[in-house]
Amino acid sequence: MRTPWADGPEFVTQCPIRPGGSYTYRFTIQGQEGTLWWHAHSSWLRASVYGALVIYPKQGSSYPFPKPKREVPILLGEWWNANPIDVIREATRTGGSPNVSDAYTINGQPGDLYNCSSNGTTVIPIDSGETSLLRVINAALNQELFFSVAQHKLTVVGADASYLKPFSTSVIMVGPGQTTDVLITADQPPARYYIAAKPYQSAQGAPFDNTTTTAILEYGSPSCSGQCALKKPVMPNLPAFNDTSTATSFSQSLRSLRKVPVPIGIDENLFFTVGLGLNKCPPNFSSSQCQGPNGTRFTASMNNVSFVLPSNFSILQAHHQGIPNVFTTDFPANPPVKFDYTGNVSRSLWQPIPGTRVYKLRYGSEVQIVLQGTNIQTAENHPIHLHGYDFYIIAEGFGNFDPKKDSSKFNLVDPPMRNTVGVPVNGWAVIRFVADNPGVWIMHCHLDVHISWGLAMAFLVENGVGELQSIEPPPSDLPLC
């Protein structure tokens, strides 16, 4: 709160930390408990620069469930044999889609199903009868993932550092940027069981890394020694890569632990289309620079604006210091043209307008955003992440959002509170929050190839009244451009 200088995205709240330089992120944790994560926010550096950020209950209080015997962070990652920065640079040069990854990883290891697997496969110990808390984080760059443990039920208890009504499932779906806390009890015959993650791919015809990463849940009881430890672990049944119904039933099962204060008096009713686009090949470009479909270049946008990062100042610096010509405040509250968002979209709507535009919010305003997926080029599930805020996901559905019909589906009692929402493939999601954190906050798709193409926008939340409703001054070690 009030320290957007500690948020991190390059050219939004700060200039990047220079090679050999350093910067200390200082912030106060308020009202969050559970699992978050930290990561680089510059180009594709987060492919390998990330880690878990665990927030424990305050001293003297405890979890809203029996304290588990152990807690284990499970970081799901994505691995390229090439330098990931070279991968996105080449895609930017050609205008085509970047090469897909070579493996997924669990805690840095690909597991037993890859040619490059080593003796270092991640092993998670557990004793018969005990319950462990797995803090599952999807740090993959471009892929939503199904996650399961062979022959064990998972009890979901939290997501994105917010507690949930517990429910049992055999599989969870975690989008990039999302975290899910699950309890697992060692109630099976002592043995070794695979923990596995594989892709959920909702975009038809788009290339993706269709492989499976594994770790091992290993019972440590005396009855699982010798032969038991040598036996090949049991594999879980994971959904098919295109199993949208499983992904949907999981996301629709999430509920806050108790009744929550959902904003009701909406001051800002926003409607944002999200999706891909195609730019015509510029006249001065060669065919090798236009390797998207039919000689185009891939792009992406919100409300037909493809987000362009500044290069000399961050947006927050420009706002705070009154520097002109860095951004404009005319990001549209609605798409400039209404159309059949999830039907056959006219090609005249495929080419967005580039710009560094932000949307201004008055301090304390109550905001509703309808995030509407589009069927331009290809429809897919977009994990949309808002910096600086948690929000309530009050509804989601397929097709075009209809305010008359779909408002009846709003959960204003116990919706889940998250910081990243999976907008369903060819569908929509509705989120609400109170704009009580002043600063500049980017909202973007957490599939990093999409943010590279411009699937982002930023909110400029104005200061309120007095010091406690205003941005703190910038720290002295803030990196310079």
Side-chain angles (χ1 to χ4, degrees):
M1 299 291 281
R2 301 177 45 237
T3 50
W5 312 105
D7 191 41
E10 65 174 351
F11 299 117
V12 178
T13 58
Q14 67 168 87
C15 297
I17 303 166
R18 295 183 181 194
S22 70
Y23 175 49
T24 303
Y25 292 91
R26 300 170 181 88
F27 55 94
T28 303
I29 291 164
Q30 286 180 250
Q32 292 174 303
E33 271 181 38
T35 309
L36 293 173
W37 64 306
W38 60 268
H39 61 84
H41 216 300
S42 172
S43 182
W44 275 21
L45 285 175
R46 83 166 177 88
S48 57
V49 185
Y50 60 81
L53 185 62
V54 174
I55 305 165
Y56 293 108
K58 281 183 178 171
Q59 266 183 314
S61 61
S62 62
Y63 301 125
F65 46 82
K67 193 171 183 335
K69 182 82 181 293
R70 305 176 210 236
E71 301 184 14
V72 186
I74 304 277
L75 284 123
L76 308 176
E78 199 169 5
W79 177 262
W80 278 260
N81 291 330
N83 178 347
I85 302 298
D86 292 340
V87 174
I88 186 58
R89 276 186 184 147
E90 177 65 6
T92 304
R93 187 189 70 76
T94 65
S97 56
N99 289 344
V100 300
S101 55
D102 295 289
Y104 302 109
T105 58
I106 297 177
N107 291 359
Q109 293 291 338
D112 295 342
L113 306 184
Y114 294 95
N115 294 334
C116 60
S117 65
S118 67
N119 295 332
T121 290
T122 301
V123 176
I124 310 294
I126 197 166
D127 289 328
S128 285
E130 84 174 26
T131 297
S132 289
L133 177 64
L134 305 182
R135 299 179 178 274
V136 185
I137 299 164
N138 187 351
L141 213 64
N142 290 319
Q143 195 62 60
E144 290 143 326
L145 294 164
F146 288 121
F147 174 89
S148 186
V149 181
Q151 295 182 13
H152 288 74
K153 284 285 188 190
L154 305 172
T155 302
V156 177
V157 292
D160 295 356
S162 182
Y163 293 121
L164 298 168
K165 284 189 176 73
F167 68 94
S168 181
T169 180
S170 58
V171 64
I172 64 173
M173 197 282 279
V174 200
Q178 292 184 326
T179 74
T180 306
D181 290 350
V182 297
L183 295 171
I184 182 169
T185 300
D187 55 5
Q188 295 301 305
R192 301 166 88 225
Y193 299 88
Y194 271 132
I195 300 166
K198 67 175 281 194
Y200 165 51
Q201 177 67 8
S202 56
Q204 286 191 349
F208 69 103
D209 175 1
N210 193 11
T211 60
T212 303
T213 178
T214 56
I216 295 169
L217 184 75
E218 185 172 84
Y219 280 61
S221 54
S223 54
C224 183
S225 55
Q227 282 304 307
C228 167
L230 295 173
K231 273 187 185 163
K232 192 169 168 58
V234 183
M235 194 69 188
N237 290 320
L238 281 157
F241 71 85
N242 57 356
D243 188 345
T244 292
S245 62
T246 293
T248 304
S249 68
F250 174 72
S251 65
Q252 292 183 347
S253 301
L254 307 183
R255 294 278 184 277
S256 280
L257 197 53
R258 50 187 69 89
K259 191 176 188 304
V260 289
V262 182
I264 299 296
I266 301 302
D267 305 299
E268 296 274 3
N269 200 346
L270 307 176
F271 188 101
F272 290 176
T273 56
V274 298
L276 302 189
L278 295 173
N279 280 333
K280 293 181 181 126
C281 194
N284 57 330
F285 276 39
S286 69
S287 59
S288 68
Q289 294 171 285
C290 298
Q291 293 182 23
N294 302 316
T296 58
R297 291 177 61 83
F298 274 113
T299 182
S301 67
M302 288 191 177
N303 276 359
N304 206 47
V305 179
S306 190
F307 193 65
V308 178
L309 291 171
S311 53
N312 296 329
F313 302 96
S314 74
I315 299 173
L316 180 62
Q317 277 176 299
H319 163 60
H320 195 71
Q321 297 168 19
I323 302 165
N325 305 321
V326 175
F327 66 91
T328 59
T329 56
D330 57 349
F331 186 87
N334 294 281
V337 178
K338 283 188 176 174
F339 57 97
D340 180 2
Y341 308 111
T342 55
N344 287 327
V345 183
S346 162
R347 292 200 171 228
S348 63
L349 298 168
W350 286 26
Q351 183 153 325
I353 296 155
T356 309
R357 303 197 204 176
V358 306
Y359 190 89
K360 262 190 177 174
L361 291 173
R362 191 173 42 79
Y363 182 92
S365 53
E366 300 194 355
V367 184
Q368 173 175 295
I369 310 173
V370 176
L371 295 162
Q372 173 68 61
T374 59
N375 193 25
I376 297 174
Q377 179 51 28
T378 183
E380 65 185 289
N381 183 301
H382 293 280
I384 302 293
H385 172 53
L386 173 60
H387 286 234
Y389 289 89
D390 289 326
F391 49 73
Y392 294 111
I393 305 171
I394 60 169
E396 59 180 63
F398 293 98
N400 298 333
F401 177 75
D402 179 343
K404 290 195 184 87
K405 189 180 66 178
D406 293 326
S407 300
S408 63
K409 299 173 188 166
F410 288 0
N411 176 3
L412 303 178
V413 179
D414 61 352
M417 187 163 77
R418 303 206 73 167
N419 60 43
T420 304
V421 55
V423 178
V425 54
N426 253 338
W428 51 268
V430 184
I431 65 171
R432 287 187 183 181
F433 63 96
V434 178
D436 58 359
N437 192 10
V440 174
W441 307 104
I442 189 172
M443 184 165 76
H444 64 88
C445 182
H446 228 304
L447 305 175
D448 273 32
V449 62
H450 291 178
I451 189 176
S452 305
W453 288 338
L455 214 174
M457 58 79 66
F459 288 106
L460 195 168
V461 181
E462 297 173 313
N463 284 340
V465 178
E467 188 185 353
L468 293 180
Q469 294 184 0
S470 302
I471 298 170
E472 290 185 7
S476 58
D477 62 341
L478 188 73
L480 299 170
C481 282

